Amino acid sequence: MDRREIARIIAKAREDGATTLDLTGKGLGTLPPEIGNLTNLRLLVLSFNDLTVLPAEIGNLTNLVNLYLNNNKLMVLSPQIGKLSSLQYLNLRDNRLMGLPREIGNLTLLTDLDLRSNQLTELSPQLGTLIERGIVNVSGNPLTELLTEPTQEIQAHGQNPPSGQEANLEEASSPIASIEFLRKWGNQG
């Protein structure tokens, strides 16, 4: 699909006040900045394309609740992703992400963050509260580090791990085991 056709689809969606836009499998290598004009969108599906970056204007979509970016070629996310204050579901599965912007921690309404099958080798402290809430899936990543100081990171959010659990976290044999601990701990009472 060429740039003019995408621009036409976006213009029509804006004119109609669309709340959903599905551009699955359209062969998109780039997303035009005009996507930021679709401020009524609640659902945006950009799955199965060839996107490597998102325009900064993505941050204008503050009503967006669900964003599907799975099966692209994203290597980085724009820090503007942190402006999506209504976002509850973010699917970034099967991309090439090597890291995440710290602004991802601003997405306080998230209930599901799918980061499976990327190139993440460590999880940033900004993911701490999201991991605590058990909403992050990072399987299929070559993780070598979890959080720099997981127990301190948790305590920085005004909470303490359950009694005797600090040792269990420190003794976890792999980053995935540590993540599982955090998921279980975050879902307790």
Side-chain angles (χ1 to χ4, degrees), residues 42-58:
R42 295 182 49 81
L43 169 67
L44 178 58
V45 184
L46 297 167
S47 306
F48 296 96
N49 282 293
D50 297 317
L51 299 172
T52 56
V53 296
L54 296 174
E57 290 80 4
I58 199 82

Side-chain angles (χ1 to χ4, degrees), residues 7-26:
R8 184 185 55 74
I9 291 170
I10 290 172
K12 175 80 169 118
R14 181 176 185 200
E15 179 183 310
D16 294 346
T19 59
T20 66
L21 181 61
D22 187 345
L23 296 173
T24 301
K26 301 293 185 192

Side-chain angles (χ1 to χ4, degrees), residues 71 100 113:
N71 298 85
L100 298 167
L113 175 57

Side-chain angles (χ1 to χ4, degrees), residues 120-144:
L120 299 172
T121 56
E122 63 183 24
L123 298 180
S124 64
Q126 290 75 19
L127 286 177
T129 55
L130 300 176
I131 290 171
E132 286 174 33
R133 290 174 31 213
I135 64 168
V136 181
N137 189 335
V138 294
S139 64
N141 281 284
L143 293 171
T144 57

Side-chain angles (χ1 to χ4, degrees), residues 13 20 24 34 42 54 56 64 81 94-95 101-102 129 142-143 147:
T20 66
T24 301
E34 290 80 13
R42 295 182 49 81
L54 296 174
L64 206 57
I81 200 91
D94 291 309
N95 276 285
R102 69 174 176 260
T129 55
L143 293 171
L147 301 169

